Amino acid sequence: MPDLEDLYREIILDHYRNPRNRGELETPPAVRAEGFNPLCGDEVIIYVQVADGVIEDIKFGGQGCSISQASSSMMSAAVKGRTVEELQQFNHAFRSMMSIEPDPDDPAPTNGNSADVKLGDLEALKGVVKFPVRIKCATLSWHTLTQAVEEAQADS
Amino acid sequence: MALDTAAVRADFPIMCREVHGRRLVYLDSAATSHKPRPVIDAVTDYYERFNSNVHRGSYQLAVEATEALEEARRKVANFIGAARDSEIVFAKNATEAINLVARTWGRANLGPGDPVVITELEHHANIVPWHMLTAEQGIDLRWIPIRSDGHLDLSDLDRLLDGARLVSVAAVSNVLGTINPIRQLADAAHDVGALMMVDASQYTPHLPTDVAAMGADFVAFTGHKMCGPTGIGVLWAKSELLEAMPPFLGGGEMILNVTKEGFSTAAVPWKFEAGTPPIAEAVGLGAAVDYLNGLGMEQVREHEVALTGYALRTLNQRYGDDITIHGPTEPAERGGVLSFEYKGIHPHDVAQVLDRSGVCVRAGHHCAKPLMRVLGCAATSRASMYVYNDESDVDALADALGEADVFFIE
């Protein structure tokens, strides 16, 4: 079996123990979305405030394992202050790192090449791919953020 | 006489395999049990010697296949103390058996405002079918609460049962292990004119089952948790109820006659068994019943009580306040299902670390989200034991649990 050290890298455990951007935002102006992992009962709540195509602020809450909590924390740090277009590139790059087939409803971003996106800390989640059951733990927060941003843009 | 677990383990071929280079320590029998050699052989034997469709061929093979299916029904009927073989309806699993009652008896007999009473410790299989009837027919779904010790809180039972049409309760909780007072609830249900359904999925594999002693009107359980194959479950119901209930799925096997204008149904239990049934699976379940009878259900339960006591003592002594084991503290009041929280580490992470040592436990909500909410957690780790487990499995769990500290405790 792959080493647990591949899964539980120090940087992941750091985000788990000291989560960035954990909390709530006032709605409105922020939008709130909930994501569920029906397999294990994990819940993630994403608050996101989008203005002029820019993610001005993001917070997350809910309950989950180290992978889902660390993934939420890393994602929030990565996308805060970015444009929605950049988020799409991050999302696409993250999904391909997780070996997930591109979603036909969610084509690769047209501006820029997601292969060029630097995932930074998020690269540490690469080891999750060796533990297929845990991939959903890592992607839950991304699904939920995508949903929240779509809602925010529909509102504006 | 106590179970000889070494001999029992030798009956289960899967116990020979290793996981990550370690011996298999299987502590997830509440999810599904392993299969002993006689069950595997019975399924293979069926396909090698009898395979054909049942209840319609006039040739020898079909006669033998039909006889094998009906023999399995007889074995299951005897195993649970059914008055007649025809009270045994084969379904896909316990979930389908409960849905069968909701979709047939429920649709025919329940209307707006009719109370159906369940408990906070039910599996989703005994919650969602009633939510569906709430949405479709406006039934009034009521919940018996649980106390902090994992037992049902019956202090307000009279009010909850007022006007009830059906009480549907798990005999043993798949999360807390709590053995519920089924007879008491059945008597209380009958006192107000309600019927009693029992989800015996975690009971029949572990304790001697007597549907008459339970006082039940419907009992549902599944084969794969009691050494049988997947894909076969059982609904037992009193004959007069089955006779009066409308059919479930429509198709072949369940009819007496079909014309362009309509159809008439076959006799019970076939009225509820549309299409080719899971014949090999039923035969396998019959073999599982034989196997459990060979061990003796009294001995199976005795083993469970002893091993549960050992597990509670071992884990509590070793980890003290660092571990919280949910449910009743007395082994005699519970099954061998131990849901626990360890040092605040998420159950998914606990299970991942245990897996490295070949220890299989379940992490999650165990299909009991309303109960999780009552317990105040999103998930638990759950170790559940059966006839092939012994003290060495509990020790392996206790040893491996401490390894989680390396990653998650600063």
Side-chain angles (χ1 to χ4, degrees), chain A residues 1 4-5 7-8 13 16-17 36 38 40-42 63-66 131 134 137, chain B residues 20 344-346 348-349 352-353 355-356 364-365 369 373 377-379 407-408 410:
Chain A
M1 101 186 254
L4 277 188
E5 284 72 14
L7 182 66
Y8 296 131
L13 295 175
Y16 172 54
R17 291 177 191 133
F36 296 95
C40 58
D42 284 0
Q63 303 183 66
C65 65
S66 58
F131 298 81
R134 306 301 291 273
C137 308
Chain B
H20 311 313
I345 302 172
H346 193 278
H348 240 184
D349 294 316
Q352 189 82 60
V353 172
D355 175 60
R356 181 166 67 169
H365 52 62
K369 286 192 86 169
R373 192 159 280 246
C377 52
F407 297 102
F408 302 106
E410 287 175 280

XYZ file of all heavy atoms in Angstrom, chain A residues 1 4-5 7-8 13 16-17 36 38 40-42 63-66 131 134 137, chain B residues 20 344-346 348-349 352-353 355-356 364-365 369 373 377-379 407-408 410:
331
model
N 0.846 -1.192 0.000
C 0.000 0.000 0.000
C 0.880 1.240 0.000
O 1.988 1.219 0.527
C -0.925 -0.019 1.229
C -0.478 0.864 2.390
S -1.468 0.697 3.856
C -2.401 2.201 3.820
N 1.232 6.123 4.195
C 0.314 7.134 4.725
C 0.968 8.511 4.707
O 0.281 9.525 4.659
C -0.084 6.775 6.158
C -1.216 5.764 6.331
C -1.598 5.688 7.792
C -2.417 6.146 5.494
N 2.295 8.519 4.733
C 2.998 9.814 4.687
C 2.725 10.544 3.377
O 2.802 11.778 3.310
C 4.509 9.614 4.877
C 4.934 9.319 6.320
C 4.556 7.925 6.804
O 4.202 7.055 5.971
O 4.612 7.693 8.022
N -0.132 10.605 1.961
C -1.473 11.186 2.120
C -1.416 12.345 3.120
O -1.892 13.445 2.834
C -2.429 10.099 2.625
C -3.888 10.481 2.804
C -4.521 10.798 1.454
C -4.659 9.328 3.468
N -0.845 12.054 4.271
C -0.843 13.034 5.351
C 0.472 13.820 5.359
O 1.279 13.699 6.278
C -1.066 12.331 6.688
C -2.413 11.653 6.797
C -2.525 10.334 7.223
C -3.584 12.334 6.477
C -3.752 9.709 7.342
C -4.818 11.714 6.589
C -4.903 10.407 7.022
O -6.132 9.794 7.137
N -1.422 18.572 7.086
C -1.735 18.519 8.518
C -1.679 19.921 9.133
O -2.443 20.241 10.049
C -0.777 17.563 9.231
C -0.926 16.096 8.790
C 0.133 15.224 9.449
C -2.324 15.554 9.103
N -4.867 21.520 8.319
C -5.914 20.866 9.110
C -5.918 21.419 10.537
O -6.970 21.750 11.086
C -5.667 19.359 9.106
C -6.561 18.559 10.029
C -7.955 18.655 9.971
C -6.004 17.665 10.952
C -8.752 17.899 10.803
C -6.807 16.905 11.787
C -8.177 17.029 11.711
O -8.971 16.277 12.539
N -4.720 21.556 11.101
C -4.638 22.009 12.500
C -4.865 23.508 12.613
O -5.406 23.993 13.599
C -3.269 21.673 13.073
C -3.046 20.186 13.252
C -1.624 19.950 13.755
N -1.259 18.551 13.700
C -0.100 18.099 13.196
N 0.801 18.951 12.703
N 0.163 16.811 13.203
N -22.272 18.171 0.496
C -22.329 16.960 1.329
C -21.569 15.828 0.661
O -21.645 15.674 -0.550
C -23.784 16.498 1.523
C -24.624 17.482 2.271
C -25.394 18.406 1.599
C -24.636 17.480 3.660
C -26.169 19.326 2.292
C -25.413 18.384 4.357
C -26.181 19.324 3.673
N -22.109 12.167 0.718
C -23.083 11.224 1.264
C -22.441 9.951 1.798
O -23.035 9.229 2.591
C -24.006 10.926 0.080
C -23.225 11.289 -1.125
C -22.262 12.361 -0.722
N -19.693 9.679 3.733
C -19.152 9.733 5.088
C -19.837 10.777 5.952
O -19.548 10.871 7.140
C -17.659 10.024 5.043
S -17.281 11.547 4.199
N -20.746 11.552 5.379
C -21.457 12.529 6.185
C -20.743 13.854 6.326
O -21.204 14.733 7.048
N -19.594 13.999 5.648
C -18.891 15.277 5.738
C -19.730 16.391 5.111
O -20.398 16.188 4.107
C -17.541 15.200 5.018
C -16.516 14.437 5.851
O -16.879 13.997 6.958
O -15.381 14.291 5.390
N -17.958 20.252 8.836
C -17.202 19.210 9.541
C -16.644 18.224 8.529
O -17.329 17.850 7.597
C -18.126 18.430 10.486
C -18.845 19.287 11.491
C -19.675 18.425 12.420
O -19.154 17.643 13.204
N -20.992 18.552 12.327
N -15.420 17.817 8.748
C -14.863 16.833 7.827
C -13.528 16.313 8.292
O -12.976 16.763 9.298
N -13.015 15.380 7.526
C -11.740 14.744 7.863
C -10.590 15.694 7.549
O -10.777 16.778 7.005
C -11.589 13.453 7.076
S -11.465 13.721 5.303
N -9.387 15.273 7.857
C -8.221 16.124 7.649
C -8.084 16.520 6.182
O -7.721 17.657 5.876
C -6.960 15.397 8.112
O -6.806 14.183 7.408
N -5.093 7.082 -2.902
C -6.120 6.580 -1.970
C -7.483 6.959 -2.550
O -8.115 7.911 -2.097
C -5.938 7.200 -0.580
C -4.623 6.859 0.071
C -3.466 7.554 -0.252
C -4.542 5.828 0.997
C -2.254 7.235 0.335
C -3.331 5.509 1.593
C -2.177 6.206 1.261
N -10.479 8.595 -0.955
C -10.368 9.917 -0.342
C -10.461 11.068 -1.343
O -10.445 12.237 -0.944
C -9.059 10.026 0.446
C -8.850 8.930 1.486
C -9.951 8.882 2.526
N -9.960 10.020 3.423
C -9.251 10.113 4.548
N -8.468 9.102 4.900
N -9.330 11.173 5.314
N -13.111 13.477 -0.694
C -12.860 14.353 0.455
C -12.143 15.623 -0.017
O -12.402 16.718 0.473
C -11.988 13.653 1.497
S -12.575 12.028 2.011
N -2.287 -5.506 3.122
C -1.053 -4.734 3.318
C -0.010 -5.553 4.094
O 0.649 -5.040 4.995
C -1.323 -3.423 4.068
C -2.461 -2.632 3.497
N -2.593 -2.384 2.149
C -3.523 -2.022 4.081
C -3.692 -1.665 1.937
N -4.276 -1.432 3.098
N -10.784 13.121 19.221
C -11.253 14.149 18.297
C -10.732 13.998 16.873
O -10.937 14.882 16.039
N -10.073 12.884 16.587
C -9.577 12.653 15.228
C -10.750 12.197 14.364
O -11.550 11.352 14.773
C -8.464 11.584 15.211
C -7.310 12.012 16.129
C -7.960 11.336 13.792
C -6.252 10.943 16.329
N -10.842 12.756 13.157
C -11.985 12.419 12.314
C -11.989 10.922 11.978
O -10.945 10.344 11.669
C -11.939 13.245 11.031
C -13.225 13.186 10.265
N -13.526 12.143 9.420
C -14.293 14.008 10.249
C -14.731 12.347 8.897
N -15.218 13.474 9.390
N -12.776 9.210 9.456
C -12.167 8.844 8.168
C -10.664 8.666 8.326
O -10.055 7.782 7.740
C -12.426 9.963 7.162
C -13.184 9.502 5.978
N -13.465 10.313 4.917
C -13.719 8.303 5.691
C -14.151 9.632 4.027
N -14.319 8.422 4.463
N -10.072 9.545 9.100
C -8.625 9.476 9.322
C -8.274 8.299 10.228
O -7.265 7.621 10.013
C -8.120 10.804 9.916
C -8.264 11.958 8.916
O -7.934 11.760 7.743
O -8.716 13.045 9.314
N -8.470 5.204 8.133
C -7.348 5.144 7.189
C -6.089 4.608 7.877
O -5.377 3.772 7.328
C -7.066 6.551 6.638
C -6.062 6.564 5.499
C -6.723 6.229 4.182
O -7.625 6.919 3.744
N -6.305 5.151 3.563
N -5.843 5.075 9.087
C -4.661 4.626 9.827
C -4.821 3.151 10.227
O -3.885 2.356 10.119
C -4.427 5.516 11.070
C -3.322 4.939 11.937
C -4.078 6.942 10.641
N -6.459 0.887 8.682
C -6.340 0.057 7.475
C -4.896 -0.369 7.239
O -4.627 -1.478 6.777
C -6.875 0.832 6.260
C -6.676 0.069 4.961
O -7.210 -1.044 4.851
O -5.985 0.577 4.068
N -3.957 0.507 7.586
C -2.544 0.183 7.398
C -2.157 -1.077 8.176
O -1.245 -1.799 7.798
C -1.689 1.378 7.848
C -0.205 1.152 7.669
C 0.557 2.432 7.787
N 0.505 2.965 9.151
C 1.278 3.966 9.572
N 2.118 4.540 8.754
N 1.189 4.413 10.806
N -18.003 6.896 9.243
C -19.044 7.662 8.561
C -20.283 7.789 9.418
O -20.217 7.692 10.641
N -21.416 8.002 8.729
C -22.663 8.208 9.478
C -23.469 6.918 9.593
O -24.525 6.900 10.214
C -23.504 9.318 8.841
C -23.746 9.137 7.376
N -24.420 8.066 6.863
C -23.385 9.883 6.306
C -24.492 8.171 5.546
N -23.848 9.262 5.180
N -28.111 9.342 9.735
C -27.775 10.756 9.936
C -28.587 11.424 11.040
O -28.034 12.205 11.814
C -27.868 11.533 8.616
C -26.691 11.225 7.689
C -26.594 12.182 6.517
C -25.814 13.425 6.891
N -25.478 14.244 5.693
N -26.889 13.347 14.356
C -27.221 14.702 14.810
C -27.532 14.697 16.305
O -27.096 15.572 17.045
C -28.411 15.235 14.007
C -28.666 16.698 14.181
C -29.475 17.232 13.022
N -28.614 17.477 11.878
C -28.371 18.680 11.375
N -28.953 19.736 11.899
N -27.595 18.845 10.341
N -22.438 14.547 16.399
C -21.247 14.378 15.561
C -21.686 14.108 14.119
O -22.821 13.730 13.866
C -20.361 13.253 16.078
S -21.205 11.702 16.357
N -20.753 14.342 13.170
C -21.079 14.087 11.766
C -20.805 12.634 11.411
O -21.367 12.094 10.467
C -20.262 15.002 10.864
N -19.930 12.021 12.186
C -19.516 10.660 11.845
C -18.902 9.999 13.076
O -18.494 10.678 14.021
C -18.493 10.696 10.716
N 0.101 11.222 13.369
C -0.279 12.198 12.348
C -1.097 13.358 12.911
O -0.979 14.480 12.442
C -1.100 11.514 11.251
C -0.333 10.458 10.510
C -0.521 9.112 10.785
C 0.601 10.823 9.543
C 0.197 8.138 10.113
C 1.321 9.859 8.860
C 1.124 8.515 9.147
N -1.961 13.041 13.860
C -2.998 14.030 14.173
C -2.877 14.690 15.535
O -3.613 15.624 15.821
C -4.378 13.382 14.022
C -4.578 12.835 12.645
C -4.540 11.480 12.395
C -4.750 13.705 11.578
C -4.690 10.992 11.121
C -4.907 13.224 10.297
C -4.875 11.859 10.056
N -0.549 16.771 17.993
C 0.713 17.539 18.004
C 1.514 17.230 19.256
O 0.959 17.004 20.314
C 0.418 19.027 17.920
C -0.047 19.425 16.527
C -0.465 20.879 16.470
O -1.584 21.178 16.891
O 0.338 21.703 15.990
